[in-house]
PDB file of all heavy atoms in Angstrom:
ATOM      1  N   LEU A1181    -178.311 -27.351-238.714  1.00  0.00           N
ATOM      2  CA  LEU A1181    -178.864 -28.181-237.647  1.00  0.00           C
ATOM      3  C   LEU A1181    -177.787 -29.158-237.163  1.00  0.00           C
ATOM      4  O   LEU A1181    -177.130 -29.824-237.978  1.00  0.00           O
ATOM      5  CB  LEU A1181    -180.066 -28.968-238.200  1.00  0.00           C
ATOM      6  CG  LEU A1181    -180.850 -29.848-237.249  1.00  0.00           C
ATOM      7  CD1 LEU A1181    -181.568 -29.006-236.212  1.00  0.00           C
ATOM      8  CD2 LEU A1181    -181.870 -30.691-238.035  1.00  0.00           C
ATOM      9  N   VAL A1182    -177.563 -29.185-235.842  1.00  0.00           N
ATOM     10  CA  VAL A1182    -176.534 -30.037-235.307  1.00  0.00           C
ATOM     11  C   VAL A1182    -176.981 -30.634-233.988  1.00  0.00           C
ATOM     12  O   VAL A1182    -177.804 -30.028-233.278  1.00  0.00           O
ATOM     13  CB  VAL A1182    -175.219 -29.238-235.124  1.00  0.00           C
ATOM     14  CG1 VAL A1182    -175.399 -28.105-234.096  1.00  0.00           C
ATOM     15  CG2 VAL A1182    -174.039 -30.116-234.778  1.00  0.00           C
ATOM     16  N   GLN A1183    -176.494 -31.819-233.663  1.00  0.00           N
ATOM     17  CA  GLN A1183    -176.871 -32.467-232.429  1.00  0.00           C
ATOM     18  C   GLN A1183    -176.060 -31.886-231.267  1.00  0.00           C
ATOM     19  O   GLN A1183    -174.938 -31.353-231.473  1.00  0.00           O
ATOM     20  CB  GLN A1183    -176.611 -33.962-232.501  1.00  0.00           C
ATOM     21  CG  GLN A1183    -177.542 -34.694-233.451  1.00  0.00           C
ATOM     22  CD  GLN A1183    -177.367 -36.178-233.404  1.00  0.00           C
ATOM     23  OE1 GLN A1183    -176.354 -36.689-232.970  1.00  0.00           O
ATOM     24  NE2 GLN A1183    -178.393 -36.911-233.826  1.00  0.00           N
ATOM     25  N   PRO A1184    -176.555 -31.977-230.049  1.00  0.00           N
ATOM     26  CA  PRO A1184    -175.765 -31.529-228.887  1.00  0.00           C
ATOM     27  C   PRO A1184    -174.423 -32.223-228.858  1.00  0.00           C
ATOM     28  O   PRO A1184    -174.319 -33.425-229.147  1.00  0.00           O
ATOM     29  CB  PRO A1184    -176.657 -31.946-227.687  1.00  0.00           C
ATOM     30  CG  PRO A1184    -178.040 -31.924-228.224  1.00  0.00           C
ATOM     31  CD  PRO A1184    -177.916 -32.427-229.654  1.00  0.00           C
ATOM     32  N   GLY A1185    -173.400 -31.442-228.532  1.00  0.00           N
ATOM     33  CA  GLY A1185    -172.038 -31.945-228.540  1.00  0.00           C
ATOM     34  C   GLY A1185    -171.336 -31.790-229.868  1.00  0.00           C
ATOM     35  O   GLY A1185    -170.122 -32.028-229.951  1.00  0.00           O
ATOM     36  N   GLY A1186    -172.064 -31.423-230.881  1.00  0.00           N
ATOM     37  CA  GLY A1186    -171.496 -31.278-232.214  1.00  0.00           C
ATOM     38  C   GLY A1186    -170.789 -29.929-232.416  1.00  0.00           C
ATOM     39  O   GLY A1186    -170.690 -29.126-231.483  1.00  0.00           O
ATOM     40  N   SER A1187    -170.295 -29.757-233.634  1.00  0.00           N
ATOM     41  CA  SER A1187    -169.526 -28.563-233.980  1.00  0.00           C
ATOM     42  C   SER A1187    -170.044 -27.925-235.279  1.00  0.00           C
ATOM     43  O   SER A1187    -170.603 -28.612-236.135  1.00  0.00           O
ATOM     44  CB  SER A1187    -168.052 -28.919-234.163  1.00  0.00           C
ATOM     45  OG  SER A1187    -167.483 -29.436-232.981  1.00  0.00           O
ATOM     46  N   LEU A1188    -169.837 -26.632-235.381  1.00  0.00           N
ATOM     47  CA  LEU A1188    -170.107 -25.898-236.594  1.00  0.00           C
ATOM     48  C   LEU A1188    -169.032 -24.819-236.724  1.00  0.00           C
ATOM     49  O   LEU A1188    -168.552 -24.287-235.714  1.00  0.00           O
ATOM     50  CB  LEU A1188    -171.480 -25.233-236.566  1.00  0.00           C
ATOM     51  CG  LEU A1188    -172.708 -26.076-236.857  1.00  0.00           C
ATOM     52  CD1 LEU A1188    -173.971 -25.242-236.633  1.00  0.00           C
ATOM     53  CD2 LEU A1188    -172.698 -26.663-238.233  1.00  0.00           C
ATOM     54  N   ARG A1189    -168.759 -24.442-237.966  1.00  0.00           N
ATOM     55  CA  ARG A1189    -167.868 -23.308-238.206  1.00  0.00           C
ATOM     56  C   ARG A1189    -168.627 -22.292-239.029  1.00  0.00           C
ATOM     57  O   ARG A1189    -169.022 -22.562-240.185  1.00  0.00           O
ATOM     58  CB  ARG A1189    -166.631 -23.762-238.957  1.00  0.00           C
ATOM     59  CG  ARG A1189    -165.578 -22.670-239.086  1.00  0.00           C
ATOM     60  CD  ARG A1189    -164.531 -23.033-240.130  1.00  0.00           C
ATOM     61  NE  ARG A1189    -163.303 -22.257-240.016  1.00  0.00           N
ATOM     62  CZ  ARG A1189    -162.478 -22.073-241.021  1.00  0.00           C
ATOM     63  NH1 ARG A1189    -162.706 -22.614-242.190  1.00  0.00           N
ATOM     64  NH2 ARG A1189    -161.388 -21.326-240.848  1.00  0.00           N
ATOM     65  N   LEU A1190    -168.826 -21.114-238.462  1.00  0.00           N
ATOM     66  CA  LEU A1190    -169.483 -20.031-239.186  1.00  0.00           C
ATOM     67  C   LEU A1190    -168.427 -19.174-239.855  1.00  0.00           C
ATOM     68  O   LEU A1190    -167.297 -18.988-239.340  1.00  0.00           O
ATOM     69  CB  LEU A1190    -170.283 -19.180-238.212  1.00  0.00           C
ATOM     70  CG  LEU A1190    -171.315 -19.915-237.346  1.00  0.00           C
ATOM     71  CD1 LEU A1190    -172.095 -18.884-236.497  1.00  0.00           C
ATOM     72  CD2 LEU A1190    -172.232 -20.752-238.164  1.00  0.00           C
ATOM     73  N   SER A1191    -168.819 -18.616-240.997  1.00  0.00           N
ATOM     74  CA  SER A1191    -167.952 -17.686-241.734  1.00  0.00           C
ATOM     75  C   SER A1191    -168.714 -16.391-241.981  1.00  0.00           C
ATOM     76  O   SER A1191    -169.945 -16.402-242.141  1.00  0.00           O
ATOM     77  CB  SER A1191    -167.536 -18.264-243.057  1.00  0.00           C
ATOM     78  OG  SER A1191    -166.770 -19.464-242.906  1.00  0.00           O
ATOM     79  N   CYS A1192    -167.993 -15.308-242.043  1.00  0.00           N
ATOM     80  CA  CYS A1192    -168.583 -14.031-242.418  1.00  0.00           C
ATOM     81  C   CYS A1192    -167.631 -13.373-243.439  1.00  0.00           C
ATOM     82  O   CYS A1192    -166.523 -12.987-243.101  1.00  0.00           O
ATOM     83  CB  CYS A1192    -168.718 -13.141-241.196  1.00  0.00           C
ATOM     84  SG  CYS A1192    -169.201 -11.436-241.570  1.00  0.00           S
ATOM     85  N   ALA A1193    -168.138 -13.283-244.657  1.00  0.00           N
ATOM     86  CA  ALA A1193    -167.350 -12.656-245.726  1.00  0.00           C
ATOM     87  C   ALA A1193    -167.692 -11.191-245.797  1.00  0.00           C
ATOM     88  O   ALA A1193    -168.868 -10.812-245.915  1.00  0.00           O
ATOM     89  CB  ALA A1193    -167.701 -13.347-247.059  1.00  0.00           C
ATOM     90  N   ALA A1194    -166.668 -10.349-245.703  1.00  0.00           N
ATOM     91  CA  ALA A1194    -166.848  -8.878-245.638  1.00  0.00           C
ATOM     92  C   ALA A1194    -166.384  -8.243-246.935  1.00  0.00           C
ATOM     93  O   ALA A1194    -165.431  -8.709-247.590  1.00  0.00           O
ATOM     94  CB  ALA A1194    -166.051  -8.320-244.485  1.00  0.00           C
ATOM     95  N   SER A1195    -167.067  -7.171-247.310  1.00  0.00           N
ATOM     96  CA  SER A1195    -166.674  -6.406-248.491  1.00  0.00           C
ATOM     97  C   SER A1195    -167.137  -4.976-248.361  1.00  0.00           C
ATOM     98  O   SER A1195    -168.015  -4.675-247.525  1.00  0.00           O
ATOM     99  CB  SER A1195    -167.240  -7.049-249.767  1.00  0.00           C
ATOM    100  OG  SER A1195    -168.658  -7.061-249.710  1.00  0.00           O
ATOM    101  N   GLY A1196    -166.535  -4.076-249.148  1.00  0.00           N
ATOM    102  CA  GLY A1196    -166.985  -2.692-249.169  1.00  0.00           C
ATOM    103  C   GLY A1196    -166.307  -1.784-248.140  1.00  0.00           C
ATOM    104  O   GLY A1196    -166.699  -0.644-248.019  1.00  0.00           O
ATOM    105  N   PHE A1197    -165.339  -2.320-247.412  1.00  0.00           N
ATOM    106  CA  PHE A1197    -164.601  -1.492-246.423  1.00  0.00           C
ATOM    107  C   PHE A1197    -163.267  -2.148-246.184  1.00  0.00           C
ATOM    108  O   PHE A1197    -162.996  -3.275-246.616  1.00  0.00           O
ATOM    109  CB  PHE A1197    -165.389  -1.347-245.112  1.00  0.00           C
ATOM    110  CG  PHE A1197    -165.568  -2.632-244.335  1.00  0.00           C
ATOM    111  CD1 PHE A1197    -164.825  -2.914-243.239  1.00  0.00           C
ATOM    112  CD2 PHE A1197    -166.546  -3.560-244.722  1.00  0.00           C
ATOM    113  CE1 PHE A1197    -164.988  -4.089-242.503  1.00  0.00           C
ATOM    114  CE2 PHE A1197    -166.738  -4.740-244.049  1.00  0.00           C
ATOM    115  CZ  PHE A1197    -165.946  -5.033-242.919  1.00  0.00           C
ATOM    116  N   MET A1198    -162.377  -1.396-245.493  1.00  0.00           N
ATOM    117  CA  MET A1198    -161.016  -1.904-245.224  1.00  0.00           C
ATOM    118  C   MET A1198    -161.061  -2.845-244.030  1.00  0.00           C
ATOM    119  O   MET A1198    -160.789  -2.498-242.893  1.00  0.00           O
ATOM    120  CB  MET A1198    -160.067  -0.730-244.953  1.00  0.00           C
ATOM    121  CG  MET A1198    -159.746   0.120-246.165  1.00  0.00           C
ATOM    122  SD  MET A1198    -158.696  -0.781-247.342  1.00  0.00           S
ATOM    123  CE  MET A1198    -157.134  -0.692-246.487  1.00  0.00           C
ATOM    124  N   PHE A1199    -161.366  -4.084-244.362  1.00  0.00           N
ATOM    125  CA  PHE A1199    -161.607  -5.118-243.357  1.00  0.00           C
ATOM    126  C   PHE A1199    -160.473  -5.186-242.331  1.00  0.00           C
ATOM    127  O   PHE A1199    -160.707  -5.305-241.153  1.00  0.00           O
ATOM    128  CB  PHE A1199    -161.772  -6.444-244.057  1.00  0.00           C
ATOM    129  CG  PHE A1199    -161.978  -7.621-243.150  1.00  0.00           C
ATOM    130  CD1 PHE A1199    -163.195  -7.879-242.573  1.00  0.00           C
ATOM    131  CD2 PHE A1199    -160.936  -8.517-242.911  1.00  0.00           C
ATOM    132  CE1 PHE A1199    -163.406  -8.952-241.733  1.00  0.00           C
ATOM    133  CE2 PHE A1199    -161.092  -9.605-242.077  1.00  0.00           C
ATOM    134  CZ  PHE A1199    -162.336  -9.830-241.482  1.00  0.00           C
ATOM    135  N   LYS A1200    -159.232  -5.113-242.800  1.00  0.00           N
ATOM    136  CA  LYS A1200    -158.102  -5.318-241.908  1.00  0.00           C
ATOM    137  C   LYS A1200    -157.936  -4.214-240.863  1.00  0.00           C
ATOM    138  O   LYS A1200    -157.143  -4.357-239.921  1.00  0.00           O
ATOM    139  CB  LYS A1200    -156.801  -5.454-242.733  1.00  0.00           C
ATOM    140  CG  LYS A1200    -156.444  -4.173-243.468  1.00  0.00           C
ATOM    141  CD  LYS A1200    -155.160  -4.389-244.269  1.00  0.00           C
ATOM    142  CE  LYS A1200    -154.762  -3.136-245.012  1.00  0.00           C
ATOM    143  NZ  LYS A1200    -153.521  -3.357-245.825  1.00  0.00           N
ATOM    144  N   LEU A1201    -158.692  -3.133-240.982  1.00  0.00           N
ATOM    145  CA  LEU A1201    -158.564  -2.025-240.053  1.00  0.00           C
ATOM    146  C   LEU A1201    -159.540  -2.101-238.889  1.00  0.00           C
ATOM    147  O   LEU A1201    -159.456  -1.306-237.948  1.00  0.00           O
ATOM    148  CB  LEU A1201    -158.765  -0.689-240.779  1.00  0.00           C
ATOM    149  CG  LEU A1201    -157.770  -0.356-241.845  1.00  0.00           C
ATOM    150  CD1 LEU A1201    -158.077   1.030-242.427  1.00  0.00           C
ATOM    151  CD2 LEU A1201    -156.324  -0.397-241.343  1.00  0.00           C
ATOM    152  N   TYR A1202    -160.505  -3.060-238.947  1.00  0.00           N
ATOM    153  CA  TYR A1202    -161.588  -3.025-237.997  1.00  0.00           C
ATOM    154  C   TYR A1202    -161.649  -4.301-237.159  1.00  0.00           C
ATOM    155  O   TYR A1202    -161.458  -5.418-237.657  1.00  0.00           O
ATOM    156  CB  TYR A1202    -162.936  -2.886-238.717  1.00  0.00           C
ATOM    157  CG  TYR A1202    -163.142  -1.545-239.315  1.00  0.00           C
ATOM    158  CD1 TYR A1202    -162.730  -1.266-240.631  1.00  0.00           C
ATOM    159  CD2 TYR A1202    -163.698  -0.496-238.571  1.00  0.00           C
ATOM    160  CE1 TYR A1202    -162.884  -0.005-241.185  1.00  0.00           C
ATOM    161  CE2 TYR A1202    -163.869   0.772-239.132  1.00  0.00           C
ATOM    162  CZ  TYR A1202    -163.440   0.993-240.419  1.00  0.00           C
ATOM    163  OH  TYR A1202    -163.590   2.245-240.963  1.00  0.00           O
ATOM    164  N   ALA A1203    -161.919  -4.097-235.854  1.00  0.00           N
ATOM    165  CA  ALA A1203    -162.289  -5.220-235.019  1.00  0.00           C
ATOM    166  C   ALA A1203    -163.632  -5.769-235.485  1.00  0.00           C
ATOM    167  O   ALA A1203    -164.459  -5.024-236.013  1.00  0.00           O
ATOM    168  CB  ALA A1203    -162.383  -4.776-233.559  1.00  0.00           C
ATOM    169  N   MET A1204    -163.797  -7.060-235.320  1.00  0.00           N
ATOM    170  CA  MET A1204    -165.017  -7.725-235.788  1.00  0.00           C
ATOM    171  C   MET A1204    -165.639  -8.514-234.614  1.00  0.00           C
ATOM    172  O   MET A1204    -164.935  -8.936-233.700  1.00  0.00           O
ATOM    173  CB  MET A1204    -164.720  -8.686-236.925  1.00  0.00           C
ATOM    174  CG  MET A1204    -164.167  -8.053-238.183  1.00  0.00           C
ATOM    175  SD  MET A1204    -165.326  -6.917-238.983  1.00  0.00           S
ATOM    176  CE  MET A1204    -166.642  -8.059-239.449  1.00  0.00           C
ATOM    177  N   ASN A1205    -166.935  -8.669-234.685  1.00  0.00           N
ATOM    178  CA  ASN A1205    -167.648  -9.352-233.607  1.00  0.00           C
ATOM    179  C   ASN A1205    -168.660 -10.355-234.177  1.00  0.00           C
ATOM    180  O   ASN A1205    -169.132 -10.203-235.285  1.00  0.00           O
ATOM    181  CB  ASN A1205    -168.459  -8.329-232.766  1.00  0.00           C
ATOM    182  CG  ASN A1205    -167.615  -7.201-232.260  1.00  0.00           C
ATOM    183  OD1 ASN A1205    -166.692  -7.399-231.469  1.00  0.00           O
ATOM    184  ND2 ASN A1205    -167.878  -6.008-232.718  1.00  0.00           N
ATOM    185  N   TRP A1206    -168.953 -11.339-233.322  1.00  0.00           N
ATOM    186  CA  TRP A1206    -170.086 -12.229-233.566  1.00  0.00           C
ATOM    187  C   TRP A1206    -171.093 -11.987-232.418  1.00  0.00           C
ATOM    188  O   TRP A1206    -170.700 -11.952-231.240  1.00  0.00           O
ATOM    189  CB  TRP A1206    -169.683 -13.684-233.571  1.00  0.00           C
ATOM    190  CG  TRP A1206    -168.985 -14.158-234.807  1.00  0.00           C
ATOM    191  CD1 TRP A1206    -167.651 -14.251-235.021  1.00  0.00           C
ATOM    192  CD2 TRP A1206    -169.632 -14.566-236.025  1.00  0.00           C
ATOM    193  NE1 TRP A1206    -167.401 -14.706-236.284  1.00  0.00           N
ATOM    194  CE2 TRP A1206    -168.621 -14.919-236.921  1.00  0.00           C
ATOM    195  CE3 TRP A1206    -170.956 -14.675-236.445  1.00  0.00           C
ATOM    196  CZ2 TRP A1206    -168.886 -15.380-238.227  1.00  0.00           C
ATOM    197  CZ3 TRP A1206    -171.234 -15.136-237.718  1.00  0.00           C
ATOM    198  CH2 TRP A1206    -170.194 -15.475-238.598  1.00  0.00           C
ATOM    199  N   TYR A1207    -172.345 -11.822-232.789  1.00  0.00           N
ATOM    200  CA  TYR A1207    -173.447 -11.744-231.855  1.00  0.00           C
ATOM    201  C   TYR A1207    -174.403 -12.883-232.141  1.00  0.00           C
ATOM    202  O   TYR A1207    -174.342 -13.489-233.219  1.00  0.00           O
ATOM    203  CB  TYR A1207    -174.193 -10.407-232.029  1.00  0.00           C
ATOM    204  CG  TYR A1207    -173.547  -9.212-231.371  1.00  0.00           C
ATOM    205  CD1 TYR A1207    -172.441  -8.610-231.956  1.00  0.00           C
ATOM    206  CD2 TYR A1207    -174.065  -8.680-230.204  1.00  0.00           C
ATOM    207  CE1 TYR A1207    -171.848  -7.493-231.349  1.00  0.00           C
ATOM    208  CE2 TYR A1207    -173.467  -7.585-229.598  1.00  0.00           C
ATOM    209  CZ  TYR A1207    -172.384  -6.988-230.190  1.00  0.00           C
ATOM    210  OH  TYR A1207    -171.803  -5.869-229.608  1.00  0.00           O
ATOM    211  N   ARG A1208    -175.330 -13.106-231.221  1.00  0.00           N
ATOM    212  CA  ARG A1208    -176.392 -14.067-231.482  1.00  0.00           C
ATOM    213  C   ARG A1208    -177.693 -13.586-230.818  1.00  0.00           C
ATOM    214  O   ARG A1208    -177.658 -12.823-229.836  1.00  0.00           O
ATOM    215  CB  ARG A1208    -176.038 -15.461-230.959  1.00  0.00           C
ATOM    216  CG  ARG A1208    -175.985 -15.590-229.446  1.00  0.00           C
ATOM    217  CD  ARG A1208    -175.538 -17.000-229.080  1.00  0.00           C
ATOM    218  NE  ARG A1208    -175.619 -17.234-227.642  1.00  0.00           N
ATOM    219  CZ  ARG A1208    -175.185 -18.341-227.053  1.00  0.00           C
ATOM    220  NH1 ARG A1208    -174.669 -19.342-227.754  1.00  0.00           N
ATOM    221  NH2 ARG A1208    -175.302 -18.482-225.731  1.00  0.00           N
ATOM    222  N   GLN A1209    -178.784 -14.068-231.362  1.00  0.00           N
ATOM    223  CA  GLN A1209    -180.087 -13.726-230.828  1.00  0.00           C
ATOM    224  C   GLN A1209    -180.974 -14.957-230.853  1.00  0.00           C
ATOM    225  O   GLN A1209    -181.289 -15.484-231.935  1.00  0.00           O
ATOM    226  CB  GLN A1209    -180.748 -12.574-231.591  1.00  0.00           C
ATOM    227  CG  GLN A1209    -182.035 -12.101-230.942  1.00  0.00           C
ATOM    228  CD  GLN A1209    -182.479 -10.752-231.484  1.00  0.00           C
ATOM    229  OE1 GLN A1209    -182.118 -10.346-232.589  1.00  0.00           O
ATOM    230  NE2 GLN A1209    -183.299 -10.031-230.705  1.00  0.00           N
ATOM    231  N   ALA A1210    -181.336 -15.404-229.669  1.00  0.00           N
ATOM    232  CA  ALA A1210    -182.262 -16.553-229.564  1.00  0.00           C
ATOM    233  C   ALA A1210    -183.689 -16.043-229.542  1.00  0.00           C
ATOM    234  O   ALA A1210    -183.952 -14.863-229.214  1.00  0.00           O
ATOM    235  CB  ALA A1210    -181.964 -17.288-228.248  1.00  0.00           C
ATOM    236  N   PRO A1211    -184.654 -16.896-229.881  1.00  0.00           N
ATOM    237  CA  PRO A1211    -186.040 -16.479-229.917  1.00  0.00           C
ATOM    238  C   PRO A1211    -186.483 -15.888-228.559  1.00  0.00           C
ATOM    239  O   PRO A1211    -186.261 -16.509-227.512  1.00  0.00           O
ATOM    240  CB  PRO A1211    -186.790 -17.781-230.229  1.00  0.00           C
ATOM    241  CG  PRO A1211    -185.799 -18.620-230.933  1.00  0.00           C
ATOM    242  CD  PRO A1211    -184.476 -18.285-230.324  1.00  0.00           C
ATOM    243  N   GLY A1212    -187.065 -14.726-228.627  1.00  0.00           N
ATOM    244  CA  GLY A1212    -187.588 -14.093-227.394  1.00  0.00           C
ATOM    245  C   GLY A1212    -186.529 -13.466-226.507  1.00  0.00           C
ATOM    246  O   GLY A1212    -186.855 -13.033-225.402  1.00  0.00           O
ATOM    247  N   LYS A1213    -185.292 -13.442-226.965  1.00  0.00           N
ATOM    248  CA  LYS A1213    -184.221 -12.887-226.143  1.00  0.00           C
ATOM    249  C   LYS A1213    -183.556 -11.736-226.854  1.00  0.00           C
ATOM    250  O   LYS A1213    -183.667 -11.529-228.054  1.00  0.00           O
ATOM    251  CB  LYS A1213    -183.188 -13.978-225.814  1.00  0.00           C
ATOM    252  CG  LYS A1213    -183.752 -15.111-224.939  1.00  0.00           C
ATOM    253  CD  LYS A1213    -182.644 -16.004-224.445  1.00  0.00           C
ATOM    254  CE  LYS A1213    -183.178 -17.054-223.487  1.00  0.00           C
ATOM    255  NZ  LYS A1213    -182.097 -17.926-222.970  1.00  0.00           N
ATOM    256  N   GLU A1214    -182.776 -10.982-226.025  1.00  0.00           N
ATOM    257  CA  GLU A1214    -181.989  -9.869-226.556  1.00  0.00           C
ATOM    258  C   GLU A1214    -180.802 -10.391-227.330  1.00  0.00           C
ATOM    259  O   GLU A1214    -180.291 -11.456-227.069  1.00  0.00           O
ATOM    260  CB  GLU A1214    -181.479  -8.995-225.409  1.00  0.00           C
ATOM    261  CG  GLU A1214    -182.554  -8.398-224.531  1.00  0.00           C
ATOM    262  CD  GLU A1214    -182.901  -7.009-224.971  1.00  0.00           C
ATOM    263  OE1 GLU A1214    -181.998  -6.284-225.426  1.00  0.00           O
ATOM    264  OE2 GLU A1214    -184.072  -6.624-224.836  1.00  0.00           O
ATOM    265  N   ARG A1215    -180.354  -9.598-228.310  1.00  0.00           N
ATOM    266  CA  ARG A1215    -179.128  -9.935-229.016  1.00  0.00           C
ATOM    267  C   ARG A1215    -177.957  -9.820-228.044  1.00  0.00           C
ATOM    268  O   ARG A1215    -177.881  -8.857-227.274  1.00  0.00           O
ATOM    269  CB  ARG A1215    -178.931  -9.022-230.211  1.00  0.00           C
ATOM    270  CG  ARG A1215    -177.902  -9.482-231.202  1.00  0.00           C
ATOM    271  CD  ARG A1215    -177.936  -8.633-232.451  1.00  0.00           C
ATOM    272  NE  ARG A1215    -179.138  -8.815-233.227  1.00  0.00           N
ATOM    273  CZ  ARG A1215    -179.328  -8.342-234.454  1.00  0.00           C
ATOM    274  NH1 ARG A1215    -178.352  -7.696-235.047  1.00  0.00           N
ATOM    275  NH2 ARG A1215    -180.459  -8.557-235.090  1.00  0.00           N
ATOM    276  N   GLU A1216    -177.038 -10.792-228.059  1.00  0.00           N
ATOM    277  CA  GLU A1216    -175.909 -10.776-227.131  1.00  0.00           C
ATOM    278  C   GLU A1216    -174.603 -10.989-227.857  1.00  0.00           C
ATOM    279  O   GLU A1216    -174.548 -11.672-228.877  1.00  0.00           O
ATOM    280  CB  GLU A1216    -176.085 -11.870-226.058  1.00  0.00           C
ATOM    281  CG  GLU A1216    -176.077 -13.269-226.561  1.00  0.00           C
ATOM    282  CD  GLU A1216    -176.089 -14.322-225.456  1.00  0.00           C
ATOM    283  OE1 GLU A1216    -175.832 -13.979-224.297  1.00  0.00           O
ATOM    284  OE2 GLU A1216    -176.376 -15.504-225.786  1.00  0.00           O
ATOM    285  N   LEU A1217    -173.544 -10.401-227.297  1.00  0.00           N
ATOM    286  CA  LEU A1217    -172.213 -10.570-227.848  1.00  0.00           C
ATOM    287  C   LEU A1217    -171.724 -11.989-227.576  1.00  0.00           C
ATOM    288  O   LEU A1217    -171.832 -12.498-226.459  1.00  0.00           O
ATOM    289  CB  LEU A1217    -171.254  -9.565-227.198  1.00  0.00           C
ATOM    290  CG  LEU A1217    -169.778  -9.655-227.663  1.00  0.00           C
ATOM    291  CD1 LEU A1217    -169.646  -9.267-229.093  1.00  0.00           C
ATOM    292  CD2 LEU A1217    -168.905  -8.774-226.765  1.00  0.00           C
ATOM    293  N   VAL A1218    -171.174 -12.599-228.626  1.00  0.00           N
ATOM    294  CA  VAL A1218    -170.600 -13.938-228.499  1.00  0.00           C
ATOM    295  C   VAL A1218    -169.083 -13.823-228.355  1.00  0.00           C
ATOM    296  O   VAL A1218    -168.489 -14.361-227.425  1.00  0.00           O
ATOM    297  CB  VAL A1218    -170.953 -14.803-229.716  1.00  0.00           C
ATOM    298  CG1 VAL A1218    -170.210 -16.133-229.659  1.00  0.00           C
ATOM    299  CG2 VAL A1218    -172.463 -15.019-229.800  1.00  0.00           C
ATOM    300  N   ALA A1219    -168.470 -13.121-229.300  1.00  0.00           N
ATOM    301  CA  ALA A1219    -166.999 -13.021-229.304  1.00  0.00           C
ATOM    302  C   ALA A1219    -166.590 -11.830-230.140  1.00  0.00           C
ATOM    303  O   ALA A1219    -167.339 -11.387-231.033  1.00  0.00           O
ATOM    304  CB  ALA A1219    -166.363 -14.284-229.867  1.00  0.00           C
ATOM    305  N   GLY A1220    -165.398 -11.307-229.870  1.00  0.00           N
ATOM    306  CA  GLY A1220    -164.827 -10.238-230.656  1.00  0.00           C
ATOM    307  C   GLY A1220    -163.368 -10.509-230.937  1.00  0.00           C
ATOM    308  O   GLY A1220    -162.701 -11.242-230.210  1.00  0.00           O
ATOM    309  N   ILE A1221    -162.863  -9.896-232.000  1.00  0.00           N
ATOM    310  CA  ILE A1221    -161.463 -10.071-232.383  1.00  0.00           C
ATOM    311  C   ILE A1221    -160.931  -8.734-232.868  1.00  0.00           C
ATOM    312  O   ILE A1221    -161.625  -7.971-233.583  1.00  0.00           O
ATOM    313  CB  ILE A1221    -161.314 -11.183-233.443  1.00  0.00           C
ATOM    314  CG1 ILE A1221    -159.840 -11.502-233.712  1.00  0.00           C
ATOM    315  CG2 ILE A1221    -162.063 -10.836-234.723  1.00  0.00           C
ATOM    316  CD1 ILE A1221    -159.643 -12.782-234.501  1.00  0.00           C
ATOM    317  N   SER A1222    -159.703  -8.407-232.511  1.00  0.00           N
ATOM    318  CA  SER A1222    -159.078  -7.183-232.901  1.00  0.00           C
ATOM    319  C   SER A1222    -158.778  -7.163-234.409  1.00  0.00           C
ATOM    320  O   SER A1222    -158.853  -8.210-235.081  1.00  0.00           O
ATOM    321  CB  SER A1222    -157.807  -6.925-232.103  1.00  0.00           C
ATOM    322  OG  SER A1222    -156.860  -7.977-232.412  1.00  0.00           O
ATOM    323  N   SER A1223    -158.420  -6.009-234.909  1.00  0.00           N
ATOM    324  CA  SER A1223    -158.175  -5.876-236.373  1.00  0.00           C
ATOM    325  C   SER A1223    -157.057  -6.801-236.855  1.00  0.00           C
ATOM    326  O   SER A1223    -157.133  -7.363-237.947  1.00  0.00           O
ATOM    327  CB  SER A1223    -157.859  -4.443-236.720  1.00  0.00           C
ATOM    328  OG  SER A1223    -156.766  -3.976-235.984  1.00  0.00           O
ATOM    329  N   SER A1224    -156.032  -6.960-236.034  1.00  0.00           N
ATOM    330  CA  SER A1224    -154.910  -7.839-236.426  1.00  0.00           C
ATOM    331  C   SER A1224    -155.158  -9.301-236.127  1.00  0.00           C
ATOM    332  O   SER A1224    -154.446 -10.172-236.604  1.00  0.00           O
ATOM    333  CB  SER A1224    -153.661  -7.404-235.673  1.00  0.00           C
ATOM    334  OG  SER A1224    -153.779  -7.687-234.288  1.00  0.00           O
TER     335      SER A1224
END
């Protein structure tokens, strides 16, 4: 929970695959809405 104007840092810990070989993405889904792409990053 954060106030407007605030900041948060999300983390995603991956295991079970060669993480460094894959592009990764963050998506989000708000109540009553479709899941949407937030950001993506290449493997490197």
Side-chain angles (χ1 to χ4, degrees):
L1181 184 66
V1182 63
Q1183 292 186 339
S1187 298
L1188 282 174
R1189 188 195 197 203
L1190 307 184
S1191 299
C1192 172
S1195 61
F1197 65 103
M1198 289 290 285
F1199 178 78
K1200 65 181 181 181
L1201 298 183
Y1202 291 91
M1204 298 295 297
N1205 306 296
W1206 284 97
Y1207 280 76
R1208 71 184 185 185
Q1209 187 166 22
K1213 295 190 175 181
E1214 300 265 326
R1215 194 171 292 190
E1216 63 173 345
L1217 178 67
V1218 174
I1221 187 167
S1222 63
S1223 57
S1224 68

